[in-house]
Structure formats: structure tokens, C-alpha cells
Amino acid sequence: MTGLGRLRELLGEPEVWGWARPGLWDASEAYLGVALPADYKAFLDLYGPGAIDGYLWLNRPIDGTAEEAEGLWPSQGSEERDPDRYPWPFHPEEGGLIWWGSDEENFYYFLPLEPDPAEWRIVVQGECGSWFETAGTFTDFVLRCFDRIDRPPFVARDWPGTDAKYVPYEPDTGS
């Protein structure tokens, strides 16, 4: 079984399907200048924007505009980066961290050092300056969090729960 298949078993069928539209990913990847990992895109194409067990928030392109891409993957630049606080550069620097998710206190990134996005590492920045780095794909990382192995020690201990679901993002309609 694939990693995505196992995640689907753990999270259940999506409440709202994620609208697989490759042109939206194309626009984002053109903005970033790199292809994003296929399993990450496939997961978000299946589930859409939302949160794994209401904790780890993920977003994806919806309209394919440059403004949206900047919002999803802001250029963080590292001209004056303090290597003691930030051990890696941020995108758009070559090999710079590319943001893909967040929770209440932590930020989740891809570390694009390899030419093949399937071989990128996962890096998590903790609230108090802690960093965690691990090998494996997006789905490998999430599955290891479910299995309670090789996961950041500073994420919520009870995440993900035994009855975890994917919580779709519901935009604020202002009403």
C-alpha cells in the first residue's frame, strides 16, 4: 500500500474533495522555480486545504495567481540570516527551506537539496528555536507522526489522535 493509501485509511475519505487541477500546481512551481514533491501535491489534490486532525494546517493553490503563490510560499530571504537561529537559508535562496505547513507553534518545511523532490528532507522549526530534520517524503513524515516514531519532540504529544480526521479549511465568509 502506498503512503497516501495508508493516510487515506487513517484519515478516512475526504469530506470535501480537493479539486485536482495540475495547472494550479504549475503556476506555483513556476513561481518557486522548482517542482514540489508529488506525494504532497497528491495529498492536497485529494483532501484540499485543511488540517490533519485539526492540528497540522496545509494549504494549496486555488486560483493560480502570483499573489496567491507569494502568500503560500513567501520569499523569506536570508540576507542577514543568523546561522545560530536559522541553520538553513529560506527560499528563494538555492537549497532554501520551502514552507508547506504549520501548527499552533511550529513551521514545517521542505529542504530542497536534492534534484528529485521525492528525496527532499523535512525540517520542522519549533517555537523556541528548536529544529528537527528527517529524511523521507511528506507522506512518510506524516505516517511516522501517526506511528510516534522519528517525529519532532516538540509537537503536541497527543497529535495525531487515534481517531484523527482531516478537517477541511472553511473560508471566513464574513457573515
PDB file of all heavy atoms in Angstrom, residues 5 37 41 55 64 69 80 87 123 125 134 147 151 175:
ATOM      1  N   GLY A   5      -2.235   5.929   0.372  1.00  0.00           N
ATOM      2  CA  GLY A   5      -3.290   4.965   0.670  1.00  0.00           C
ATOM      3  C   GLY A   5      -3.437   4.733   2.168  1.00  0.00           C
ATOM      4  O   GLY A   5      -4.550   4.657   2.691  1.00  0.00           O
ATOM      5  N   PRO A  37       7.134  18.115  -4.243  1.00  0.00           N
ATOM      6  CA  PRO A  37       7.013  16.663  -4.150  1.00  0.00           C
ATOM      7  C   PRO A  37       5.631  16.163  -4.594  1.00  0.00           C
ATOM      8  O   PRO A  37       4.591  16.710  -4.194  1.00  0.00           O
ATOM      9  CB  PRO A  37       7.255  16.376  -2.668  1.00  0.00           C
ATOM     10  CG  PRO A  37       8.107  17.524  -2.208  1.00  0.00           C
ATOM     11  CD  PRO A  37       7.589  18.708  -2.970  1.00  0.00           C
ATOM     12  N   LYS A  41       1.567  17.040  -3.327  1.00  0.00           N
ATOM     13  CA  LYS A  41       0.537  17.540  -4.234  1.00  0.00           C
ATOM     14  C   LYS A  41      -0.639  16.571  -4.319  1.00  0.00           C
ATOM     15  O   LYS A  41      -1.798  16.996  -4.301  1.00  0.00           O
ATOM     16  CB  LYS A  41       1.132  17.800  -5.618  1.00  0.00           C
ATOM     17  CG  LYS A  41       2.170  18.908  -5.624  1.00  0.00           C
ATOM     18  CD  LYS A  41       2.664  19.261  -7.007  1.00  0.00           C
ATOM     19  CE  LYS A  41       3.424  18.143  -7.668  1.00  0.00           C
ATOM     20  NZ  LYS A  41       4.033  18.551  -8.956  1.00  0.00           N
ATOM     21  N   TYR A  55      -4.859  19.991  13.540  1.00  0.00           N
ATOM     22  CA  TYR A  55      -3.612  20.490  14.145  1.00  0.00           C
ATOM     23  C   TYR A  55      -2.608  20.976  13.115  1.00  0.00           C
ATOM     24  O   TYR A  55      -2.171  22.121  13.166  1.00  0.00           O
ATOM     25  CB  TYR A  55      -2.997  19.371  14.993  1.00  0.00           C
ATOM     26  CG  TYR A  55      -1.691  19.722  15.659  1.00  0.00           C
ATOM     27  CD1 TYR A  55      -1.666  20.508  16.802  1.00  0.00           C
ATOM     28  CD2 TYR A  55      -0.481  19.250  15.156  1.00  0.00           C
ATOM     29  CE1 TYR A  55      -0.463  20.822  17.423  1.00  0.00           C
ATOM     30  CE2 TYR A  55       0.724  19.559  15.767  1.00  0.00           C
ATOM     31  CZ  TYR A  55       0.723  20.347  16.903  1.00  0.00           C
ATOM     32  OH  TYR A  55       1.910  20.655  17.510  1.00  0.00           O
ATOM     33  N   GLY A  64      -4.200  30.095  -8.661  1.00  0.00           N
ATOM     34  CA  GLY A  64      -3.030  30.093  -9.534  1.00  0.00           C
ATOM     35  C   GLY A  64      -2.417  31.448  -9.814  1.00  0.00           C
ATOM     36  O   GLY A  64      -1.574  31.575 -10.694  1.00  0.00           O
ATOM     37  N   ALA A  69       0.520  32.622  -4.878  1.00  0.00           N
ATOM     38  CA  ALA A  69       1.787  31.900  -4.709  1.00  0.00           C
ATOM     39  C   ALA A  69       2.668  32.598  -3.679  1.00  0.00           C
ATOM     40  O   ALA A  69       3.273  31.935  -2.829  1.00  0.00           O
ATOM     41  CB  ALA A  69       2.506  31.777  -6.051  1.00  0.00           C
ATOM     42  N   GLU A  80      20.529  38.610   5.942  1.00  0.00           N
ATOM     43  CA  GLU A  80      21.185  38.830   7.231  1.00  0.00           C
ATOM     44  C   GLU A  80      20.867  37.687   8.186  1.00  0.00           C
ATOM     45  O   GLU A  80      20.714  37.899   9.373  1.00  0.00           O
ATOM     46  CB  GLU A  80      20.716  40.170   7.801  1.00  0.00           C
ATOM     47  CG  GLU A  80      20.814  41.276   6.792  1.00  0.00           C
ATOM     48  CD  GLU A  80      21.638  42.442   7.256  1.00  0.00           C
ATOM     49  OE1 GLU A  80      22.019  42.477   8.420  1.00  0.00           O
ATOM     50  OE2 GLU A  80      21.896  43.308   6.431  1.00  0.00           O
ATOM     51  N   PRO A  87      19.527  27.596  10.920  1.00  0.00           N
ATOM     52  CA  PRO A  87      20.622  26.799  10.349  1.00  0.00           C
ATOM     53  C   PRO A  87      20.546  26.599   8.838  1.00  0.00           C
ATOM     54  O   PRO A  87      21.525  26.180   8.238  1.00  0.00           O
ATOM     55  CB  PRO A  87      20.533  25.473  11.086  1.00  0.00           C
ATOM     56  CG  PRO A  87      19.207  25.441  11.737  1.00  0.00           C
ATOM     57  CD  PRO A  87      18.716  26.838  11.853  1.00  0.00           C
ATOM     58  N   VAL A 123      12.008  19.480   7.408  1.00  0.00           N
ATOM     59  CA  VAL A 123      12.555  20.251   8.520  1.00  0.00           C
ATOM     60  C   VAL A 123      11.386  20.917   9.242  1.00  0.00           C
ATOM     61  O   VAL A 123      10.477  21.457   8.607  1.00  0.00           O
ATOM     62  CB  VAL A 123      13.543  21.332   8.023  1.00  0.00           C
ATOM     63  CG1 VAL A 123      13.956  22.261   9.147  1.00  0.00           C
ATOM     64  CG2 VAL A 123      14.771  20.688   7.394  1.00  0.00           C
ATOM     65  N   GLN A 125      10.563  23.701  12.313  1.00  0.00           N
ATOM     66  CA  GLN A 125      11.074  24.758  13.190  1.00  0.00           C
ATOM     67  C   GLN A 125      10.130  24.891  14.369  1.00  0.00           C
ATOM     68  O   GLN A 125       8.948  25.183  14.207  1.00  0.00           O
ATOM     69  CB  GLN A 125      11.132  26.082  12.428  1.00  0.00           C
ATOM     70  CG  GLN A 125      11.577  27.253  13.277  1.00  0.00           C
ATOM     71  CD  GLN A 125      11.453  28.576  12.514  1.00  0.00           C
ATOM     72  OE1 GLN A 125      10.858  28.662  11.450  1.00  0.00           O
ATOM     73  NE2 GLN A 125      12.031  29.610  13.082  1.00  0.00           N
ATOM     74  N   THR A 134      14.538  15.390   9.211  1.00  0.00           N
ATOM     75  CA  THR A 134      14.411  13.963   8.976  1.00  0.00           C
ATOM     76  C   THR A 134      14.322  13.677   7.481  1.00  0.00           C
ATOM     77  O   THR A 134      13.935  14.541   6.705  1.00  0.00           O
ATOM     78  CB  THR A 134      13.177  13.376   9.711  1.00  0.00           C
ATOM     79  OG1 THR A 134      13.194  11.961   9.607  1.00  0.00           O
ATOM     80  CG2 THR A 134      11.876  13.928   9.169  1.00  0.00           C
ATOM     81  N   ASP A 147       2.646   6.981  13.737  1.00  0.00           N
ATOM     82  CA  ASP A 147       3.270   5.822  14.371  1.00  0.00           C
ATOM     83  C   ASP A 147       4.119   6.190  15.592  1.00  0.00           C
ATOM     84  O   ASP A 147       4.667   5.310  16.249  1.00  0.00           O
ATOM     85  CB  ASP A 147       4.133   5.063  13.355  1.00  0.00           C
ATOM     86  CG  ASP A 147       3.307   4.435  12.246  1.00  0.00           C
ATOM     87  OD1 ASP A 147       2.082   4.208  12.444  1.00  0.00           O
ATOM     88  OD2 ASP A 147       3.876   4.192  11.161  1.00  0.00           O
ATOM     89  N   ARG A 151       9.707  11.660  14.948  1.00  0.00           N
ATOM     90  CA  ARG A 151       8.873  12.858  14.816  1.00  0.00           C
ATOM     91  C   ARG A 151       9.429  13.946  15.719  1.00  0.00           C
ATOM     92  O   ARG A 151      10.139  13.646  16.674  1.00  0.00           O
ATOM     93  CB  ARG A 151       7.418  12.555  15.133  1.00  0.00           C
ATOM     94  CG  ARG A 151       7.217  12.052  16.529  1.00  0.00           C
ATOM     95  CD  ARG A 151       5.783  11.664  16.834  1.00  0.00           C
ATOM     96  NE  ARG A 151       5.269  12.528  17.886  1.00  0.00           N
ATOM     97  CZ  ARG A 151       4.065  13.041  17.921  1.00  0.00           C
ATOM     98  NH1 ARG A 151       3.209  12.770  16.977  1.00  0.00           N
ATOM     99  NH2 ARG A 151       3.688  13.815  18.895  1.00  0.00           N
ATOM    100  N   SER A 175     -19.833  36.568   7.534  1.00  0.00           N
ATOM    101  CA  SER A 175     -21.226  36.713   7.990  1.00  0.00           C
ATOM    102  C   SER A 175     -21.377  36.382   9.435  1.00  0.00           C
ATOM    103  O   SER A 175     -20.578  35.914  10.124  1.00  0.00           O
ATOM    104  CB  SER A 175     -22.154  35.854   7.162  1.00  0.00           C
ATOM    105  OG  SER A 175     -21.706  34.522   7.073  1.00  0.00           O
TER     106      SER A 175
END
